[in-house]
Structure formats: structure tokens, C-alpha cells
Amino acid sequence: MGMGKENRDRIAKRAAQELKNGMAVNLGIGIPTQVADYVPEGVQIVFHAENGILFAGGAPNPGEEDAFLCNAGGYPVTIVDGASYCDSSIAFAMIRRGCIDITILGALEVSERGDLANWIVPGKRVAGIGGAMELAQKAKKVIVLMNHVNRQGESKVKKQCELPLTARACVKLIITEMAVMEVVENGLLLKEIMSPYTVDDVVRHTEAALIIPEQITYIP
């Protein structure tokens, strides 16, 4: 099921609230790339790209794209003061060494225990798993941004992933157009609900069991 620009922007804006000053952050393809446009004022983030950029910035204004400056997904980006470049082997070494505080990724499915499937649908041609496997395993915190349901209207928040896994038990926070869910020891904690949805809406569209606290934040 498709998602409009307003919902994509809301998800990216909510994800940006998880960023703290001085963090090293990697952004995946899709909605995660928009997070750089919503960094809170006064917060400086070291955005890392696997193709070899440190201190990447947000998307350029239309017409101001630099054909030689893009992120790992091939999309145009900007840089901020202090930016530096390296080859991809060094960029991946930073990931493997555990230097990335947060990676924000898209997903095809996430299970209630935090398993991540985001790289292949059986029968579809893809270039390969890419850096997602290493980011999912080595980043200190993994946040997933995605549609709550797929194009068939089926929940992407699963009891158990049906698609091939990228990594097991790696996801800590899930943000969709409906809700914000935290992976905790005994399941998925429903923390926040996006307007205009209700608790019943989220439960009805979620295959995984949800822990519903007495206090839930509603995001207008």
C-alpha cells in the first residue's frame, strides 16, 4: 500500500527526534533519507554514507544537485562544514568497528522480536544484500521506518518474518504512518499513535501481539 508525502514526512520527522548531538548516523534508502531534513535545531549529527561521506547533509534544493555528490543509494545529497570523504572500504570498516550510533532503515517485514527482512522478495531481481546486513548487526541502535501494511493490506509488523532475514533480533524501534513501537524483552510496546489512527486501528492492522500501556502518546 502506497504512502503519501505527508505521512512520509511525519515518519521522518518523528525519527529525527531520536537523534542526539554528536551521534554518528547512517540513513538507508527511501524514507530514512528524509530524516536529515528534520534534525532538531542545535543538534549536530555526523551522517555517514557507505559510499564514503562523513557529515552528509539533507537533500539539495531542486536545480542545485551535484552530479558527483550522492549517498549510497545514488540520491543527491549536500554536505555540511567539516565534511570528509573516504573510500567504501573505510566506510564499511567504520560500520564493522561499531562506530555507528544509529542506523535508520526501511523494511519489508519486522517481527515482534526485532528480526529484520529488508533486502529481497523471492522471485525478484536485486543487486544483493548490500550494507544492510552489516548495519543491522553492528549499529548500536536500529530504527525501522516503513508502511504499516503492504500493498495487499497485510501487516508488515509480523509475529515471525516470512521473507528472508537481513539480521535477527536487531531492530529496537519501528515507526510507521500509524504508530511508534519499541521492541522490548517480552514483545512490542505500543508507545505512540499517529493521528488520525486509534489503538483499535493499530491492533487491527498489526499481526504481532502488542503490549498496550495505560499511557500512550498521540502525535497530531
Side-chain angles (χ1 to χ4, degrees):
M1 184 175 291
M3 185 189 302
K5 182 179 184 303
E6 182 179 352
N7 280 333
R8 294 169 65 90
D9 290 344
R10 290 174 73 195
I11 291 172
K13 187 175 182 179
R14 172 60 186 83
Q17 295 176 20
E18 298 296 312
L19 307 183
K20 308 300 180 187
N21 196 52
M23 281 184 166
V25 178
N26 181 284
L27 302 177
I29 297 171
I31 302 174
T33 61
Q34 298 177 226
V35 174
D37 298 327
Y38 293 101
V39 176
E41 187 174 352
V43 174
Q44 187 178 51
I45 300 299
V46 181
F47 281 113
H48 165 281
E50 299 104 294
N51 59 329
I53 305 175
L54 286 177
F55 280 105
N61 294 322
E64 297 180 6
E65 298 88 350
D66 183 339
F68 296 98
L69 187 58
C70 64
N71 60 23
Y75 295 97
V77 293
T78 57
I79 54 173
V80 299
D81 290 344
S84 62
Y85 304 95
C86 60
D87 67 32
S88 59
S89 65
I90 298 298
F92 271 91
M94 295 175 191
I95 297 171
R96 293 166 185 159
R97 183 65 177 81
C99 296
I100 305 302
D101 294 298
I102 291 179
T103 185
I104 303 177
L105 303 172
L108 298 169
E109 295 176 346
V110 180
S111 78
E112 60 189 21
R113 56 173 283 180
D115 298 335
L116 172 66
N118 78 339
W119 77 281
I120 189 171
V121 175
K124 300 286 187 178
R125 291 178 62 88
V126 295
I129 197 167
M133 176 176 62
E134 288 165 302
L135 285 164
Q137 291 180 328
K138 297 298 185 179
K140 296 172 186 174
K141 182 175 183 178
V142 178
I143 298 174
V144 160
L145 312 185
M146 66 178 188
N147 297 56
H148 205 96
V149 299
N150 62 24
R151 292 178 181 177
Q152 290 73 44
E154 300 165 338
S155 177
K156 294 172 64 173
V157 186
K158 315 283 285 185
K159 290 184 180 297
Q160 183 172 328
C161 291
E162 298 173 3
L163 297 173
L165 294 184
T166 306
R168 296 183 184 276
C170 61
V171 178
K172 301 302 181 187
L173 194 69
I174 306 166
I175 305 175
T176 75
E177 79 279 14
M178 290 188 183
V180 179
M181 295 154 284
E182 181 180 4
V183 180
V184 295
E185 186 175 351
N186 54 341
L188 282 180
L189 176 65
L190 180 59
K191 297 185 66 177
E192 302 169 24
I193 294 178
M194 300 275 198
S195 173
Y197 297 102
T198 66
V199 172
D200 288 343
D201 291 329
V202 176
V203 171
R204 188 169 64 253
H205 290 90
T206 305
E207 180 186 292
L210 294 172
I211 302 167
I212 302 175
E214 293 184 4
Q215 297 289 335
I216 297 178
T217 300
Y218 286 82
I219 302 176

